[in-house]
């Protein structure tokens, strides 16, 4: 690893996600003294304590070992009915797209994580806010006994409780909204630099496609941003590249792991391979030449996922749509040709009638001689 100048941590990531599936989650932050409105009908306001380090819309707190503290978020109900809001506390994770998440995920925590956010911050699972009223959500922070360099990070998700009876009667796309408030906990000004390690390379599937997952860990309590990953896969002892991919603008959270996918695009074959991985972030650079083996079972599972996608991927709706378009186009062409021909026939009839009428007039005037 190459260390350069001081790394600038990415204090908080704000995302607005418009999903194409069954739900939409809105992640938001707010500035001091402001509120944020949402279709679910409530707003929130972060109440900054004295140990808040910066004037931002999330908690950025300077803590001490063993310190116990209560933090508060003011919730305002904008509707005429009482609201029950679900409270979810989540540690920071990094998904396979290199995006940092502070909401609920199924991503496994990295082995390098010393103190889990969910074990340090606690609070109620729900809070009731009266109609047109306000209520304060109180959360307790209990810092570990030992001093800690770097950052402990996570998020507070606020979401209206779902009425399951009403939900069961709904059809089509169902939009769900949630607010997400970041929490950063630091104890010292000691500079901590991110450090990447390569764990494993395994065969798998993602979204029904065969991929090779390159699992990396950032084993330090520091954010890693502007990450560029370049991966090439070869057979063991050979130079020919079988699969390759390159992605930029990736991010990783502190003490996070990421399973970076390398698209295969064809069936995998069991055997011995090598992954050549280059990771660059600013002045930090890491590289590995990692041998790995794809077993018969791994290749079979990955190929079955790819095959099933091919079977299921035959889009009958698209076929019907194409057929309808062709049919309508054919009818359109037939109608236009028929109309043009009809207009020609009508025009010919008009010309014949006009000519006949002219001849009759000429005959009456005696201009046409009998033969």
């Amino acid at each position: 690893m190459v260390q350069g100048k001081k790394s600038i941590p990415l204090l908080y990531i704000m995302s607005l996600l418009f999903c194409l599936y069954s739900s939409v989650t809105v992640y938001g932050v707010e500035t001091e003294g402001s509120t944020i409105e949402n279709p679910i009908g409530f707003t929130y306001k972060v109440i900054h304590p004295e140990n808040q380090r910066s004037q931002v819309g999330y908690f950025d707190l300077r803590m001490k070992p063993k310190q116990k503290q209560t933090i508060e978020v003011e919730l305002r109900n904008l509707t005429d009915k009482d609201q029950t809001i679900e409270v979810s506390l989540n540690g920071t994770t990094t998904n396979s797209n290199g995006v940092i998440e502070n909401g609920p995920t199924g991503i496994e925590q990295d082995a390098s994580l010393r103190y889990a956010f969910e074990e340090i911050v606690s609070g109620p699972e729900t809070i009731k806010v009266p109609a047109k009223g306000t209520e304060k959500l109180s959360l307790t922070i209990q810092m570990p006994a030992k001093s800690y360099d770097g950052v402990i990070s996570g998020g507070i998700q606020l979401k209206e409780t779902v009425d399951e009876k009403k939900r069961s009667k709904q059809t089509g796309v169902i939009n769900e909204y949630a607010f997400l408030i970041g929490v950063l906990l630091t104890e010292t000004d000691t500079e901590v630099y991110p450090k990447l390690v390569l764990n494993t390379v395994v065969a798998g599937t993602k979204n029904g496609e065969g991929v090779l997952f390159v699992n990396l860990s950032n084993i330090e309590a520091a954010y890693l941003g502007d990450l560029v990953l370049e991966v090439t896969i070869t057979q063991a002892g050979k130079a020919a590249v079988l699969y390759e991919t390159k992605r930029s603008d990736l991010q990783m959270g502190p003490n996070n792991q990421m399973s970076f996918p390398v698209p295969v695009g064809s069936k995998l074959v069991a055997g011995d391979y090598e992954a050549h991985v280059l990771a660059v972030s600013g002045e930090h650079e890491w590289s590995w030449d990692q041998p790995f083996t794809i077993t018969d079972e791994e290749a079979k599972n990955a190929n079955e996922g790819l095959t099933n996608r091919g079977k299921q991927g035959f889009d009958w709706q698209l076929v019907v749509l194409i057929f309808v378009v062709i049919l309508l186009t054919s009818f359109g062409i037939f109608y236009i040709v028929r109309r043009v021909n009809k207009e020609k026939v009508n025009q010919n009839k008009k010309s014949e009638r006009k000519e006949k009428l002219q001849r009759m007039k000429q005959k009456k005037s005696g201009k046409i001689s009998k033969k």
Side-chain angles (χ1 to χ4, degrees):
M1 180 183 75
V2 178
Q3 293 186 353
K5 298 178 181 179
K6 292 184 178 180
S7 61
I8 301 175
L10 303 175
L11 295 180
Y12 184 68
I13 307 299
M14 170 184 170
S15 302
L16 178 62
L17 304 179
F18 295 96
C19 300
L20 300 178
Y21 303 101
S22 62
S23 65
V24 175
T25 304
V26 176
Y27 298 127
V29 298
E30 63 170 328
T31 56
E32 179 69 12
S34 69
T35 58
I36 292 180
E37 295 187 12
N38 199 314
I40 57 177
F42 73 89
T43 64
Y44 74 85
K45 180 179 180 180
V46 174
I47 300 176
H48 289 158
E50 293 183 357
N51 56 334
Q52 174 77 16
R53 298 181 64 202
S54 54
Q55 294 301 311
V56 290
Y58 52 90
F59 291 104
D60 179 13
L61 307 179
R62 175 51 55 92
M63 307 294 291
K64 297 178 181 179
K66 298 183 181 180
Q67 181 178 349
K68 186 175 183 179
Q69 179 177 351
T70 299
I71 56 176
E72 293 180 323
V73 178
E74 183 180 270
L75 304 175
R76 181 180 297 276
N77 185 352
L78 303 177
T79 71
D80 296 324
K81 297 181 180 180
D82 294 349
Q83 280 189 319
T84 300
I85 298 172
E86 294 180 0
V87 182
S88 176
L89 303 174
N90 315 281
T92 296
T93 56
T94 304
N95 65 31
S96 60
N97 295 317
V99 176
I100 294 173
E101 299 193 21
N102 285 329
T105 66
I107 301 173
E108 184 180 352
Q109 292 181 337
D110 192 69
S112 66
L113 183 66
R114 291 171 57 192
Y115 304 115
F117 178 83
E118 301 90 332
E119 297 175 0
I120 293 174
V121 183
S122 60
E125 293 183 356
T126 61
I127 181 171
K128 189 174 182 179
V129 185
K132 295 294 184 180
T134 61
E135 194 69 34
K136 286 184 179 179
L137 168 65
S138 297
L139 302 172
T140 301
I141 301 174
Q142 178 62 67
M143 293 297 289
K146 294 184 179 180
S147 180
Y148 185 78
D149 294 329
V151 61
I152 299 172
S153 68
I156 308 163
Q157 179 178 280
L158 305 173
K159 176 185 173 184
E160 184 183 23
T161 301
V162 176
D163 188 328
E164 296 298 339
K165 290 184 179 180
K166 291 183 179 179
R167 170 61 59 82
S168 63
K169 298 178 182 179
Q170 293 177 322
T171 58
V173 177
I174 301 172
N175 292 330
E176 293 184 355
Y177 298 88
F179 282 130
L180 186 61
I181 306 169
V183 181
L184 296 177
L185 306 174
T186 58
E187 291 184 349
T188 70
D189 290 325
T190 301
E191 196 71 38
V192 177
Y193 296 92
K195 181 180 180 181
L196 284 182
V197 296
L198 176 60
N199 300 317
T200 58
V201 181
V202 296
T205 59
K206 181 182 180 183
N207 298 328
E209 295 185 349
V211 298
L212 293 172
F213 286 108
V214 178
N215 186 268
L216 300 161
S217 290
N218 173 20
I219 62 174
E220 296 294 342
Y223 281 90
L224 175 62
D226 297 325
L227 175 64
V228 178
L229 273 179
E230 184 174 354
V231 181
T232 57
I233 305 295
T234 64
Q235 283 188 316
K238 296 185 179 181
V241 175
L242 300 176
Y243 317 110
E244 62 181 336
T245 189
K246 182 178 181 179
R247 288 278 307 277
S248 58
D249 297 325
L250 305 176
Q251 300 166 337
M252 291 189 70
N255 300 109
N256 277 193
Q257 63 175 275
M258 172 177 62
S259 291
F260 181 72
V262 179
V264 173
S266 60
K267 289 188 176 182
L268 286 169
V269 178
D272 296 326
Y273 297 86
E274 288 185 359
H276 308 280
V277 183
L278 174 65
V280 180
S281 174
E283 297 182 5
H284 302 275
E285 183 176 314
W286 304 266
S287 62
W288 304 270
D289 295 312
Q290 174 85 6
F292 68 97
T293 299
I294 299 178
T295 66
D296 291 331
E297 184 177 0
E298 288 174 336
K300 180 182 177 181
N301 292 337
N303 293 335
E304 282 180 351
L306 181 63
T307 302
N308 289 338
R309 183 180 185 274
K311 291 179 180 179
Q312 297 172 359
F314 194 75
D315 195 339
W316 284 105
Q317 291 183 347
L318 180 59
V319 173
V320 172
L321 178 61
I322 293 173
F323 176 76
V324 171
V325 170
I326 294 174
L327 189 63
L328 291 175
T329 302
S330 300
F331 275 121
I333 294 173
F334 174 77
Y335 174 78
I336 293 172
V337 172
R338 184 180 178 184
R339 187 185 180 105
V340 170
N341 290 335
K342 188 175 181 181
E343 288 179 355
K344 286 183 178 180
V345 171
N346 291 336
Q347 187 67 31
N348 291 335
K349 287 182 178 180
K350 287 180 180 180
S351 298
E352 289 177 0
R353 284 198 299 267
K354 186 176 180 181
E355 185 178 351
K356 185 176 181 180
L357 182 61
Q358 186 176 3
R359 286 180 175 275
M360 290 176 63
K361 288 180 179 181
Q362 291 176 349
K363 186 176 181 181
K364 288 181 180 180
S365 63
K367 292 182 179 180
I368 301 179
S369 61
K370 293 182 180 182
K371 295 182 179 179

